[in-house]
Amino acid sequence: MDQVARARPTLRDVAQLAGVSPKTVSRVVNGEPGVSPSKAGAVERAIRQLEYRPNITASSLRRAGGRTAAIAAVLEDVSNPFSSALYRALEDVAHARDVMVFAGSVEEDPDRERTLVRAFAMRQADAMLIVPASDNQAYLTREVVGGTPLVFVDRPPVGLHADAVLVDNEAGAAAAVHHLVAHGHRDIAYLGDLRTIATARRRFQGYKEALSDHGIRPVHVVHDLHTSEAASAAFGALLDGPSPPTACFSAQNLITIGAIRALRSRGLQHRVAIAGFDDFPLADLLEPAVTVVSQDPYRMGRVAADLLFRRLDGEDWEPTTHLVDTRLIVRGSGEIAGPGGLRSA
Protein backbone atom coordinates (compact mmCIF):
# COMPACT_ATOMS: atom_id res chain seq x y z
CA MET A 1 0.00 0.00 0.00
CA ASP A 2 1.30 3.43 -0.90
CA GLN A 3 1.62 5.75 2.05
CA VAL A 4 2.05 9.34 0.88
CA ALA A 5 4.21 11.26 3.31
CA ARG A 6 2.19 14.16 4.68
CA ALA A 7 3.03 16.23 7.69
CA ARG A 8 0.34 16.58 10.30
CA PRO A 9 -1.75 19.68 9.61
CA THR A 10 -1.18 22.62 11.89
CA LEU A 11 -3.46 25.30 13.25
CA ARG A 12 -1.97 27.67 10.67
CA ASP A 13 -2.87 25.25 7.87
CA VAL A 14 -6.48 25.31 9.04
CA ALA A 15 -6.44 29.11 9.23
CA GLN A 16 -5.06 29.41 5.72
CA LEU A 17 -7.63 27.02 4.22
CA ALA A 18 -10.52 28.68 6.09
CA GLY A 19 -9.34 32.19 5.24
CA VAL A 20 -9.23 33.32 8.85
CA SER A 21 -6.57 34.15 11.42
CA PRO A 22 -4.91 31.48 13.61
CA LYS A 23 -6.51 33.17 16.63
CA THR A 24 -9.95 32.59 15.13
CA VAL A 25 -9.17 28.90 14.63
CA SER A 26 -7.99 28.71 18.24
CA ARG A 27 -11.25 30.24 19.47
CA VAL A 28 -13.34 27.75 17.47
CA VAL A 29 -11.28 24.77 18.64
CA ASN A 30 -11.52 25.87 22.26
CA GLY A 31 -15.21 26.74 22.07
CA GLU A 32 -14.65 30.40 22.85
CA PRO A 33 -17.26 33.06 21.95
CA GLY A 34 -16.77 35.95 19.56
CA VAL A 35 -16.60 34.07 16.22
CA SER A 36 -19.29 34.63 13.61
CA PRO A 37 -21.25 31.57 12.42
CA SER A 38 -19.86 31.88 8.90
CA LYS A 39 -16.26 31.92 10.08
CA ALA A 40 -16.87 29.11 12.56
CA GLY A 41 -18.39 27.03 9.77
CA ALA A 42 -15.40 27.68 7.52
CA VAL A 43 -13.03 26.62 10.29
CA GLU A 44 -14.98 23.45 11.01
CA ARG A 45 -15.01 22.51 7.32
CA ALA A 46 -11.25 23.07 7.10
CA ILE A 47 -10.68 20.94 10.21
CA ARG A 48 -12.64 18.07 8.65
CA GLN A 49 -10.97 18.42 5.26
CA LEU A 50 -7.46 18.47 6.73
CA GLU A 51 -8.27 15.97 9.50
CA TYR A 52 -6.70 18.43 11.90
CA ARG A 53 -6.25 17.20 15.46
CA PRO A 54 -5.64 19.92 18.03
CA ASN A 55 -2.98 19.33 20.63
CA ILE A 56 -4.88 19.56 23.90
CA THR A 57 -1.90 18.57 26.03
CA ALA A 58 -0.43 21.51 27.92
CA SER A 59 3.05 22.32 26.71
CA SER A 60 4.28 22.44 30.29
CA LEU A 61 3.59 18.73 30.58
CA ARG A 62 5.51 17.78 27.48
CA ARG A 63 9.01 16.43 27.52
CA ALA A 64 11.90 17.63 25.41
CA GLY A 65 11.51 16.58 21.80
CA GLY A 66 7.74 16.99 21.89
CA ARG A 67 7.03 13.86 23.97
CA THR A 68 4.17 13.63 26.46
CA ALA A 69 5.53 10.69 28.48
CA ALA A 70 2.26 8.85 27.78
CA ILE A 71 1.36 5.95 25.53
CA ALA A 72 -2.08 4.60 24.66
CA ALA A 73 -3.58 1.11 24.65
CA VAL A 74 -6.68 0.57 22.51
CA LEU A 75 -7.96 -2.76 23.82
CA GLU A 76 -10.90 -5.04 23.09
CA ASP A 77 -12.30 -5.02 26.64
CA VAL A 78 -10.21 -4.04 29.66
CA SER A 79 -12.35 -6.32 31.86
CA ASN A 80 -11.39 -9.40 29.82
CA PRO A 81 -8.41 -11.30 31.33
CA PHE A 82 -6.61 -11.24 27.95
CA SER A 83 -6.86 -7.45 27.65
CA SER A 84 -5.98 -6.98 31.31
CA ALA A 85 -2.77 -8.98 30.89
CA LEU A 86 -1.82 -6.98 27.80
CA TYR A 87 -2.36 -3.75 29.69
CA ARG A 88 -0.38 -4.89 32.71
CA ALA A 89 2.60 -5.91 30.58
CA LEU A 90 2.60 -2.56 28.79
CA GLU A 91 2.26 -0.74 32.11
CA ASP A 92 5.17 -2.66 33.67
CA VAL A 93 7.51 -1.72 30.84
CA ALA A 94 6.27 1.87 30.75
CA HIS A 95 6.56 2.33 34.52
CA ALA A 96 10.27 1.49 34.38
CA ARG A 97 10.64 4.42 31.97
CA ASP A 98 8.45 6.81 33.96
CA VAL A 99 5.81 6.76 31.22
CA MET A 100 2.05 6.73 31.81
CA VAL A 101 -0.36 4.37 30.02
CA PHE A 102 -3.90 5.35 29.07
CA ALA A 103 -6.32 2.64 27.94
CA GLY A 104 -9.81 2.27 26.51
CA SER A 105 -12.08 -0.54 25.32
CA VAL A 106 -13.40 -0.77 21.76
CA GLU A 107 -15.89 -3.59 22.48
CA GLU A 108 -15.66 -4.75 18.85
CA ASP A 109 -17.06 -1.42 17.65
CA PRO A 110 -15.10 0.09 14.72
CA ASP A 111 -16.54 3.55 15.38
CA ARG A 112 -15.47 3.36 19.01
CA GLU A 113 -11.99 2.31 17.88
CA ARG A 114 -11.67 5.39 15.69
CA THR A 115 -13.01 7.62 18.44
CA LEU A 116 -10.49 6.29 20.95
CA VAL A 117 -7.59 6.56 18.52
CA ARG A 118 -8.58 10.12 17.67
CA ALA A 119 -8.86 11.00 21.37
CA PHE A 120 -5.43 9.58 22.14
CA ALA A 121 -3.93 11.26 19.07
CA MET A 122 -5.39 14.62 20.14
CA ARG A 123 -3.68 14.14 23.47
CA GLN A 124 -0.44 13.54 21.58
CA ALA A 125 0.17 9.99 22.81
CA ASP A 126 3.79 9.12 22.08
CA ALA A 127 2.86 5.63 20.82
CA MET A 128 -0.14 3.30 20.60
CA LEU A 129 -0.79 -0.40 21.14
CA ILE A 130 -3.95 -1.38 19.26
CA VAL A 131 -6.17 -4.46 19.27
CA PRO A 132 -8.27 -3.46 16.24
CA ALA A 133 -12.00 -3.93 15.82
CA SER A 134 -12.27 -2.32 12.38
CA ASP A 135 -11.65 -4.26 9.17
CA ASN A 136 -9.25 -1.66 7.78
CA GLN A 137 -6.79 0.60 9.58
CA ALA A 138 -5.66 2.73 6.64
CA TYR A 139 -7.09 5.74 8.48
CA LEU A 140 -4.01 5.54 10.72
CA THR A 141 -1.61 6.27 7.87
CA ARG A 142 -1.23 9.88 9.01
CA GLU A 143 -0.11 8.70 12.46
CA VAL A 144 2.51 6.38 10.96
CA VAL A 145 3.83 8.99 8.55
CA GLY A 146 3.78 11.56 11.35
CA GLY A 147 6.13 9.38 13.36
CA THR A 148 3.82 7.87 15.99
CA PRO A 149 4.93 4.27 16.66
CA LEU A 150 2.07 1.78 16.39
CA VAL A 151 1.96 -1.92 17.17
CA PHE A 152 -1.03 -4.19 16.60
CA VAL A 153 -1.62 -7.06 18.99
CA ASP A 154 -3.70 -10.22 18.55
CA ARG A 155 -5.04 -9.12 15.15
CA PRO A 156 -2.97 -8.05 12.14
CA PRO A 157 -3.35 -4.58 10.65
CA VAL A 158 -5.20 -4.28 7.33
CA GLY A 159 -4.50 -1.47 4.89
CA LEU A 160 -1.51 -0.36 6.94
CA HIS A 161 2.10 -1.51 7.15
CA ALA A 162 2.90 -1.74 10.86
CA ASP A 163 4.40 -4.02 13.49
CA ALA A 164 2.18 -6.80 14.84
CA VAL A 165 2.39 -9.32 17.68
CA LEU A 166 0.23 -12.36 17.03
CA VAL A 167 -0.20 -16.03 17.83
CA ASP A 168 -0.79 -18.89 15.37
CA ASN A 169 -4.52 -19.18 15.96
CA GLU A 170 -5.11 -21.91 13.39
CA ALA A 171 -2.40 -24.17 14.80
CA GLY A 172 -3.60 -23.63 18.37
CA ALA A 173 -7.21 -24.45 17.51
CA ALA A 174 -6.16 -27.49 15.51
CA ALA A 175 -4.08 -28.79 18.42
CA ALA A 176 -7.13 -28.69 20.70
CA VAL A 177 -9.33 -30.50 18.18
CA HIS A 178 -6.70 -33.18 17.48
CA HIS A 179 -6.49 -33.69 21.23
CA LEU A 180 -10.25 -34.21 21.55
CA VAL A 181 -10.30 -36.63 18.61
CA ALA A 182 -7.44 -38.56 20.20
CA HIS A 183 -9.69 -39.08 23.22
CA GLY A 184 -12.42 -40.70 21.15
CA HIS A 185 -14.56 -37.74 20.09
CA ARG A 186 -15.91 -37.17 16.61
CA ASP A 187 -18.93 -35.00 17.32
CA ILE A 188 -17.09 -31.91 18.50
CA ALA A 189 -19.09 -28.70 18.75
CA TYR A 190 -17.60 -25.35 17.84
CA LEU A 191 -18.54 -22.24 19.81
CA GLY A 192 -17.01 -19.18 18.20
CA ASP A 193 -16.70 -15.44 18.67
CA LEU A 194 -17.89 -12.78 16.22
CA ARG A 195 -17.01 -13.66 12.64
CA THR A 196 -15.94 -10.06 12.09
CA ILE A 197 -12.91 -10.80 14.28
CA ALA A 198 -9.88 -12.08 12.39
CA THR A 199 -8.74 -14.36 15.21
CA ALA A 200 -12.19 -15.98 15.40
CA ARG A 201 -12.09 -16.75 11.69
CA ARG A 202 -8.63 -18.28 11.96
CA ARG A 203 -9.57 -20.43 14.94
CA PHE A 204 -12.60 -21.73 13.08
CA GLN A 205 -10.37 -22.53 10.12
CA GLY A 206 -8.05 -24.50 12.40
CA TYR A 207 -11.04 -26.36 13.85
CA LYS A 208 -12.34 -27.32 10.40
CA GLU A 209 -8.95 -28.38 9.08
CA ALA A 210 -8.27 -30.56 12.11
CA LEU A 211 -11.62 -32.33 11.74
CA SER A 212 -10.98 -32.77 8.02
CA ASP A 213 -7.66 -34.45 8.81
CA HIS A 214 -9.68 -37.15 10.56
CA GLY A 215 -12.42 -37.36 7.94
CA ILE A 216 -14.96 -35.66 10.21
CA ARG A 217 -17.58 -33.17 9.03
CA PRO A 218 -18.52 -30.31 11.39
CA VAL A 219 -22.09 -30.63 12.63
CA HIS A 220 -22.61 -28.44 15.69
CA VAL A 221 -21.26 -24.99 14.86
CA VAL A 222 -22.34 -21.73 16.48
CA HIS A 223 -20.74 -18.38 15.59
CA ASP A 224 -21.08 -14.80 16.81
CA LEU A 225 -21.01 -15.51 20.54
CA HIS A 226 -19.31 -12.71 22.42
CA THR A 227 -20.43 -13.11 26.03
CA SER A 228 -20.49 -15.97 28.49
CA GLU A 229 -24.28 -15.67 28.67
CA ALA A 230 -24.68 -16.08 24.92
CA ALA A 231 -22.31 -19.04 24.92
CA SER A 232 -24.14 -20.72 27.79
CA ALA A 233 -27.48 -20.41 26.02
CA ALA A 234 -26.11 -21.62 22.68
CA PHE A 235 -24.28 -24.63 24.10
CA GLY A 236 -27.25 -25.46 26.30
CA ALA A 237 -29.44 -25.63 23.21
CA LEU A 238 -27.00 -28.05 21.59
CA LEU A 239 -26.82 -30.22 24.71
CA ASP A 240 -30.62 -30.35 24.93
CA GLY A 241 -30.98 -31.27 21.26
CA PRO A 242 -31.72 -34.71 19.82
CA SER A 243 -28.07 -35.46 18.97
CA PRO A 244 -25.91 -33.57 21.46
CA PRO A 245 -22.15 -33.31 20.90
CA THR A 246 -19.79 -35.36 23.05
CA ALA A 247 -17.16 -32.63 23.13
CA CYS A 248 -16.73 -28.92 22.53
CA PHE A 249 -14.02 -26.61 21.31
CA SER A 250 -14.71 -23.08 22.59
CA ALA A 251 -12.77 -20.40 20.78
CA GLN A 252 -12.49 -17.69 23.47
CA ASN A 253 -12.20 -17.62 27.24
CA LEU A 254 -15.55 -16.00 27.98
CA ILE A 255 -17.20 -18.51 25.65
CA THR A 256 -15.48 -21.33 27.55
CA ILE A 257 -16.85 -19.99 30.82
CA GLY A 258 -20.37 -19.90 29.37
CA ALA A 259 -20.03 -23.43 28.01
CA ILE A 260 -18.89 -24.72 31.41
CA ARG A 261 -21.93 -23.12 33.02
CA ALA A 262 -24.17 -24.94 30.55
CA LEU A 263 -22.46 -28.25 31.35
CA ARG A 264 -22.57 -27.79 35.11
CA SER A 265 -26.22 -26.73 35.14
CA ARG A 266 -27.02 -30.07 33.48
CA GLY A 267 -24.60 -32.17 35.49
CA LEU A 268 -22.61 -33.00 32.34
CA GLN A 269 -19.21 -31.61 33.29
CA HIS A 270 -17.77 -35.11 33.72
CA ARG A 271 -19.41 -36.56 30.61
CA VAL A 272 -18.87 -33.96 27.86
CA ALA A 273 -15.30 -32.95 27.08
CA ILE A 274 -14.29 -29.34 26.53
CA ALA A 275 -11.11 -27.61 25.41
CA GLY A 276 -10.99 -23.84 25.15
CA PHE A 277 -8.82 -21.25 23.47
CA ASP A 278 -7.41 -18.78 26.03
CA ASP A 279 -6.74 -19.52 29.65
CA PHE A 280 -8.65 -17.75 32.40
CA PRO A 281 -8.36 -17.30 36.18
CA LEU A 282 -9.29 -20.36 38.29
CA ALA A 283 -9.54 -22.64 35.24
CA ASP A 284 -7.14 -25.00 37.00
CA LEU A 285 -9.28 -25.09 40.16
CA LEU A 286 -12.56 -26.19 38.61
CA GLU A 287 -13.64 -29.82 38.71
CA PRO A 288 -12.68 -31.03 36.26
CA ALA A 289 -9.96 -28.47 35.62
CA VAL A 290 -10.20 -26.93 32.17
CA THR A 291 -7.96 -27.96 29.31
CA VAL A 292 -7.00 -24.88 27.30
CA VAL A 293 -4.90 -23.62 24.44
CA SER A 294 -2.97 -21.02 26.36
CA GLN A 295 -1.87 -17.80 24.82
CA ASP A 296 0.54 -15.67 26.76
CA PRO A 297 -1.00 -12.19 26.63
CA TYR A 298 1.50 -10.86 29.14
CA ARG A 299 4.36 -12.02 26.91
CA MET A 300 2.58 -10.52 23.89
CA GLY A 301 2.27 -7.22 25.75
CA ARG A 302 5.95 -7.24 26.70
CA VAL A 303 6.99 -7.88 23.09
CA ALA A 304 4.68 -5.11 21.88
CA ALA A 305 5.96 -2.68 24.51
CA ASP A 306 9.55 -3.46 23.57
CA LEU A 307 8.79 -2.68 19.93
CA LEU A 308 7.11 0.63 20.82
CA PHE A 309 9.92 1.84 23.05
CA ARG A 310 12.63 0.76 20.63
CA ARG A 311 10.97 2.90 17.97
CA LEU A 312 10.62 5.77 20.44
CA ASP A 313 14.34 5.40 21.15
CA GLY A 314 15.04 6.01 17.47
CA GLU A 315 15.49 2.49 16.09
CA ASP A 316 14.08 1.91 12.63
CA TRP A 317 13.24 -1.28 10.75
CA GLU A 318 10.79 -2.62 8.20
CA PRO A 319 7.53 -3.41 10.07
CA THR A 320 7.36 -7.10 10.93
CA THR A 321 5.02 -9.66 12.49
CA HIS A 322 6.18 -11.35 15.69
CA LEU A 323 4.62 -14.70 16.61
CA VAL A 324 4.22 -15.83 20.20
CA ASP A 325 3.69 -19.57 20.68
CA THR A 326 0.53 -21.13 22.10
CA ARG A 327 0.59 -24.12 24.44
CA LEU A 328 -1.97 -26.86 25.04
CA ILE A 329 -2.40 -27.23 28.80
CA VAL A 330 -3.89 -30.60 29.71
CA ARG A 331 -5.93 -30.42 32.91
CA GLY A 332 -8.82 -32.86 32.72
CA SER A 333 -11.86 -31.46 30.90
CA GLY A 334 -10.37 -32.21 27.49
CA GLU A 335 -9.40 -35.75 28.46
CA ILE A 336 -12.91 -37.07 29.17
CA ALA A 337 -13.17 -40.13 26.94
CA GLY A 338 -15.60 -40.11 24.06
CA PRO A 339 -17.48 -42.99 22.45
CA GLY A 340 -14.42 -44.02 20.48
CA GLY A 341 -12.18 -44.28 23.54
CA LEU A 342 -8.59 -43.10 23.87
CA ARG A 343 -6.58 -43.57 20.70
CA SER A 344 -2.90 -44.34 20.65
CA ALA A 345 -0.65 -41.67 19.19
Side-chain angles (χ1 to χ4, degrees), residues 10-22 25 43 46 50:
T10 65
L11 184 142
R12 290 187 177 277
D13 294 330
V14 175
Q16 183 176 11
L17 181 60
V20 299
S21 69
V25 175
V43 170
L50 294 173

Coordinates of all heavy atoms in Angstrom, one line a residue, residues 10-22 25 43 46 50:
T10 N -1.3 21.7 10.7 CA -1.2 22.6 11.9 C -2.4 23.6 12.0 O -3.2 23.7 11.0 CB 0.1 23.4 11.8 OG1 0.0 24.3 10.6 CG2 1.3 22.5 11.6
L11 N -2.4 24.3 13.1 CA -3.5 25.3 13.2 C -3.4 26.3 12.1 O -4.4 26.8 11.6 CB -3.3 25.9 14.6 CG -4.4 27.0 15.0 CD1 -4.7 26.8 16.5 CD2 -3.9 28.4 14.7
R12 N -2.1 26.7 11.7 CA -2.0 27.7 10.7 C -2.5 27.1 9.3 O -3.0 27.9 8.5 CB -0.5 28.1 10.6 CG 0.0 28.9 11.7 CD 1.4 29.4 11.5 NE 1.8 30.3 12.6 CZ 1.5 31.6 12.8 NH1 0.8 32.2 11.8 NH2 1.9 32.3 13.8
D13 N -2.3 25.8 9.1 CA -2.9 25.2 7.9 C -4.4 25.4 7.8 O -5.0 25.7 6.8 CB -2.5 23.8 7.8 CG -1.0 23.5 7.6 OD1 -0.3 24.4 7.0 OD2 -0.5 22.5 8.1
V14 N -5.0 25.2 9.0 CA -6.5 25.3 9.0 C -6.9 26.8 8.8 O -7.8 27.0 8.0 CB -7.0 24.8 10.4 CG1 -8.5 25.1 10.6 CG2 -6.7 23.4 10.6
A15 N -6.1 27.7 9.4 CA -6.4 29.1 9.2 C -6.3 29.5 7.8 O -7.2 30.2 7.2 CB -5.5 29.9 10.1
Q16 N -5.3 29.0 7.1 CA -5.1 29.4 5.7 C -6.2 28.9 4.8 O -6.7 29.6 4.0 CB -3.7 28.9 5.2 CG -3.4 29.3 3.8 CD -2.0 28.8 3.4 OE1 -1.3 28.0 4.1 NE2 -1.5 29.3 2.3
L17 N -6.6 27.6 5.0 CA -7.6 27.0 4.2 C -9.0 27.7 4.5 O -9.8 27.9 3.6 CB -7.7 25.5 4.5 CG -8.8 24.7 3.7 CD1 -8.5 24.9 2.2 CD2 -8.8 23.3 4.1
A18 N -9.2 28.1 5.7 CA -10.5 28.7 6.1 C -10.6 30.2 5.8 O -11.6 30.8 5.8 CB -10.8 28.4 7.6
G19 N -9.4 30.8 5.5 CA -9.3 32.2 5.2 C -9.6 33.0 6.5 O -10.2 34.1 6.4
V20 N -9.1 32.6 7.6 CA -9.2 33.3 8.9 C -7.9 33.4 9.5 O -6.9 32.8 9.1 CB -10.3 32.7 9.8 CG1 -11.6 32.6 9.1 CG2 -9.8 31.3 10.2
S21 N -7.8 34.1 10.7 CA -6.6 34.2 11.4 C -6.4 32.9 12.3 O -7.4 32.3 12.7 CB -6.6 35.4 12.3 OG -7.5 35.3 13.3
P22 N -5.1 32.6 12.7 CA -4.9 31.5 13.6 C -5.7 31.7 14.9 O -6.1 30.7 15.5 CB -3.4 31.5 13.8 CG -2.9 32.1 12.5 CD -3.9 33.1 12.2
V25 N -9.2 30.4 14.6 CA -9.2 28.9 14.6 C -9.1 28.4 16.1 O -9.8 27.5 16.5 CB -8.0 28.3 13.8 CG1 -8.0 26.8 14.0 CG2 -8.2 28.7 12.3
V43 N -14.1 27.3 9.5 CA -13.0 26.6 10.3 C -13.3 25.1 10.5 O -12.5 24.3 10.3 CB -12.9 27.3 11.7 CG1 -11.9 26.5 12.6 CG2 -12.3 28.7 11.5
A46 N -12.7 23.2 7.3 CA -11.3 23.1 7.1 C -10.7 22.0 8.0 O -9.8 21.2 7.6 CB -10.5 24.4 7.3
L50 N -8.9 18.7 6.4 CA -7.5 18.5 6.7 C -7.3 17.4 7.8 O -6.1 16.9 8.0 CB -6.8 19.7 7.2 CG -6.7 20.9 6.2 CD1 -6.1 22.1 6.9 CD2 -5.8 20.5 5.1

